[in-house]
Amino acid sequence: MIGMTSYDLQACAGLPAATKQLNDTTQVFIYTGTHAQPNYGGSTLIPVGDIVTTMSQLGGGGGTTCTAVIRLDHDRVSDVHYTGDNDEMVGTDGICSIITRGCARQPEGTMKRSAGGVFGPVSAFHPPITPNQSTSGTYSSQSGAAVLNPDNKSSDSVIIPRPQ
């Protein structure tokens, strides 16, 4: 989805649940999705529901909600983050596929192509490598004039003016 225009993003993922304009060139689209937890009902002979629930909990899965926070810089997707109890039995952020599935099934022309290997650089266990954010997409003019105080024992504020 990196590189996709906001128009193509909305065409494949739908309208965002919320948006936030960060500065003149950067905005954030927030998408939410839920996946119903399977219900196996009760069984007296074989406790299928109990077995599946236990496996999900031990395997790190069982998530049902995801929020995708998508940063757009100069009207193009520059970063995607997922939050929520979004893990599945195999891999992380699996529940989030309900948000981005439309974009993956029919890639838009403005998307950055993934290449490499039979399955590409994408894995259920790690995200693809993406370039660093542009400074205009990550910093405001106010934050550019300040830095994190590197001295943990300092009596000064945590945020200090940038040294000249």
Side-chain angles (χ1 to χ4, degrees), residues 38-92:
N39 184 0
Y40 298 98
S43 172
T44 57
L45 184 58
I46 301 174
V48 174
D50 294 340
I51 292 170
V52 170
T53 300
T54 301
M55 288 176 57
S56 292
Q57 290 174 349
L58 292 175
T64 58
T65 63
C66 178
T67 300
V69 180
I70 301 175
R71 182 193 317 242
L72 291 101
D73 186 19
H74 292 88
D75 199 47
R76 292 194 175 260
V77 174
S78 61
D79 204 12
V80 179
H81 296 279
Y82 299 119
T83 64
D85 58 341
N86 53 18
D87 293 347
E88 287 194 298
M89 289 290 288
V90 175
T92 58

Side-chain angles (χ1 to χ4, degrees), residues 78 130-134:
S78 61
T130 57
N132 290 331
Q133 294 291 313
S134 71

Side-chain angles (χ1 to χ4, degrees), residues 84-107:
D85 58 341
N86 53 18
D87 293 347
E88 287 194 298
M89 289 290 288
V90 175
T92 58
D93 302 326
I95 300 301
C96 294
S97 67
I98 60 178
I99 296 171
T100 59
R101 185 177 297 148
C103 301
R105 286 186 178 158
Q106 184 176 350

